[in-house]
Amino acid sequence: MASTSGPEIERLIQLLARLPGLGPRSARRAALHLIKKREQLLGPLADAIRVANERVVVCSTCGNVDTSDPCTLCRDTRRDDAVLVLVEDVADLWALERAQVINGRYHVLGGTLSALDGVGPKDLNLDRLVARVAEGGVQEVILALNATVDGQTTAHYVTDLLSHLPVKVSRLAHGVPVGGELDYLDEGTLAAAFRQRTAL
Amino acid sequence: MASTSGPEIERLIQLLARLPGLGPRSARRAALHLIKKREQLLGPLADAIRVANERVVVCSTCGNVDTSDPCTLCRDTRRDDAVLVLVEDVADLWALERAQVINGRYHVLGGTLSALDGVGPKDLNLDRLVARVAEGGVQEVILALNATVDGQTTAHYVTDLLSHLPVKVSRLAHGVPVGGELDYLDEGTLAAAFRQRTAL
């Protein structure tokens, strides 16, 4: 490929191929698309990436990414300080915000405990979580962690960590996804859905 | 979303979502991945896109994209000037180069004739093709166009266009793809494969 179109285009393809969702082939298509749409897309994207590179910071309060610290969510005075939603990743925070299900504050752990991947408590944003809860004002910490083994291990660890503080700790319900068909669900989900059935 | 993470990140997501192969959701994942891997990915990608934006040009001879004009392929003295491969798009040129099936020169049409999309002969890189062939030296023009209706219409048009010039015009063979199963092929492909069967 280097001999086809020069090292500059090859470099662009290689970097695009490292984005999640793009492989070598689709990165090539994306690079070509960028080059063809230079005015509408390549130039604006160059600016957007430069601005992001210069200005994006990690919020020192909650761990969200934004162009200001504290981030937009932490500065928003209309949010309920009493509710703190613990998420694994910024992507989860964004997903919850899109769903508009909760109007509290967030705290991004930056991962889950994982013996396999060698992630211990020191690698996560846990000290800051305990400090935020200890400061007072938070009445409930909602553990919005993934329903995976690592996510649940982390949930137990965080529950222990917060047990000496005067705060209620809860986790998201397990059950049948809305629109889901029973036939396609695993036994664990079905068992949880039965255990936690609600009266009508 | 604008209230979650600032307009700068939102702008980056919107631009990434316009790349082929990325939708709104995967663009968000890609943006977050870029921000997390700032040193390894965001900075280098910013540079690569800026360089591409500043330096990439369309080759005035063949229509390839490169950082020099004439492009690397047109300047390569080890290539066979007698063979000119006509392709629809730069992506096709790249695909043929990856397969390393032909060591000739290329000519990128920039599309195919299409009554539906309103693409006529004037919209394609045809004048330059005729000029290149008329200059002499080219003995065979291989029409490596897609086996679509528009591709075949274009192939016929180009064949007519070159008929007064002393050049052989050929097109790629139709048949069973290597590794393909007959059961999954359409009637048109099967019929072509039978018509153009080769003696063993």
Side-chain angles (χ1 to χ4, degrees):
Chain A
M1 276 302 297
S3 66
T4 314
S5 47
E8 294 86 353
I9 297 176
E10 185 59 19
R11 170 106 179 115
L12 178 61
I13 294 170
Q14 277 171 4
L15 287 166
L16 287 173
R18 288 169 57 190
L19 292 177
L22 287 183
R25 195 171 275 261
S26 47
R28 223 174 284 124
R29 279 176 56 221
L32 202 54
H33 188 77
L34 279 172
I35 290 166
K36 284 185 189 167
K37 306 252 173 183
R38 189 181 296 196
E39 297 291 315
Q40 308 100 299
L41 198 50
L42 186 59
L45 186 62
D47 289 340
I49 287 184
R50 185 182 48 74
V51 168
N53 193 24
E54 286 169 4
R55 297 192 43 197
V56 168
V57 288
V58 174
C59 175
S60 57
T61 305
C62 74
N64 187 15
V65 293
D66 200 344
T67 44
S68 60
D69 180 17
C71 73
T72 317
L73 292 178
C74 285
R75 279 186 289 115
D76 188 346
T77 52
R78 290 162 306 179
R79 289 191 168 252
D80 187 356
D81 286 318
V83 177
L84 189 62
V85 181
L86 186 70
V87 291
E88 179 180 330
D89 195 275
V90 176
D92 301 328
L93 187 162
W94 289 3
L96 292 175
E97 276 301 291
R98 279 199 303 284
Q100 297 188 309
V101 281
I102 190 94
N103 191 38
R105 304 287 177 186
Y106 287 95
H107 194 82
V108 180
L109 267 188
T112 45
L113 296 175
S114 168
L116 267 179
D117 298 333
V119 180
K122 291 284 160 209
D123 303 310
L124 301 180
N125 190 12
L126 283 169
D127 292 346
R128 189 81 195 93
L129 171 69
V130 175
R132 281 180 85 178
V133 175
E135 277 166 19
V138 178
Q139 286 165 26
E140 178 175 2
V141 174
I142 304 176
L143 308 181
L145 300 170
N146 291 332
T148 55
V149 171
D150 286 343
Q152 297 311 298
T153 307
T154 310
H156 282 122
Y157 185 88
V158 172
T159 309
D160 281 351
L161 201 65
L162 299 176
S163 60
H164 67 285
L165 291 164
V167 68
K168 186 180 157 197
V169 179
S170 58
R171 66 158 175 77
L172 299 186
H174 292 315
V176 182
V178 176
E181 297 179 45
L182 298 191
D183 197 15
Y184 291 94
L185 288 174
D186 61 295
E187 292 83 6
T189 304
L190 286 174
F194 271 90
R195 263 199 314 275
Q196 298 169 39
R197 63 191 178 274
T198 49
L200 289 174
Chain B
M1 277 301 298
S3 65
T4 314
S5 47
E8 294 86 354
I9 297 176
E10 186 58 19
R11 169 106 180 117
L12 178 61
I13 293 169
Q14 277 171 3
L15 287 167
L16 287 173
R18 287 169 57 190
L19 291 177
L22 287 182
R25 194 172 276 259
S26 47
R28 223 175 282 122
R29 279 176 57 220
L32 202 52
H33 188 76
L34 279 172
I35 290 166
K36 284 184 189 167
K37 307 252 173 183
R38 189 181 297 196
E39 298 291 317
Q40 308 101 298
L41 199 50
L42 187 59
L45 187 61
D47 290 338
I49 287 185
R50 184 182 49 74
V51 168
N53 193 23
E54 285 169 4
R55 298 193 41 200
V56 169
V57 289
V58 174
C59 176
S60 57
T61 305
C62 74
N64 188 14
V65 293
D66 200 343
T67 44
S68 60
D69 180 15
C71 73
T72 317
L73 291 178
C74 286
R75 279 186 289 115
D76 188 345
T77 52
R78 291 162 305 179
R79 289 193 168 251
D80 187 357
D81 287 318
V83 177
L84 190 61
V85 181
L86 186 71
V87 292
E88 179 180 331
D89 195 276
V90 176
D92 301 328
L93 188 162
W94 289 2
L96 292 176
E97 277 300 293
R98 279 199 303 282
Q100 295 188 307
V101 281
I102 190 94
N103 191 38
R105 303 287 177 186
Y106 288 95
H107 194 83
V108 180
L109 268 187
T112 45
L113 297 174
S114 169
L116 267 178
D117 298 334
V119 180
K122 290 285 160 211
D123 302 310
L124 301 180
N125 191 12
L126 283 168
D127 292 347
R128 188 82 194 93
L129 171 69
V130 176
R132 282 180 83 179
V133 176
E135 276 166 21
V138 179
Q139 287 166 24
E140 179 176 3
V141 175
I142 304 176
L143 308 181
L145 301 169
N146 292 332
T148 56
V149 172
D150 286 344
Q152 297 310 298
T153 307
T154 310
H156 281 122
Y157 185 87
V158 172
T159 308
D160 282 350
L161 201 64
L162 299 176
S163 59
H164 67 285
L165 291 165
V167 69
K168 186 181 157 194
V169 180
S170 59
R171 65 158 175 77
L172 299 186
H174 292 315
V176 182
V178 176
E181 295 179 46
L182 298 191
D183 197 16
Y184 291 93
L185 288 175
D186 61 296
E187 292 82 5
T189 303
L190 286 174
F194 270 90
R195 264 199 312 277
Q196 298 170 39
R197 64 190 176 276
T198 50
L200 290 174

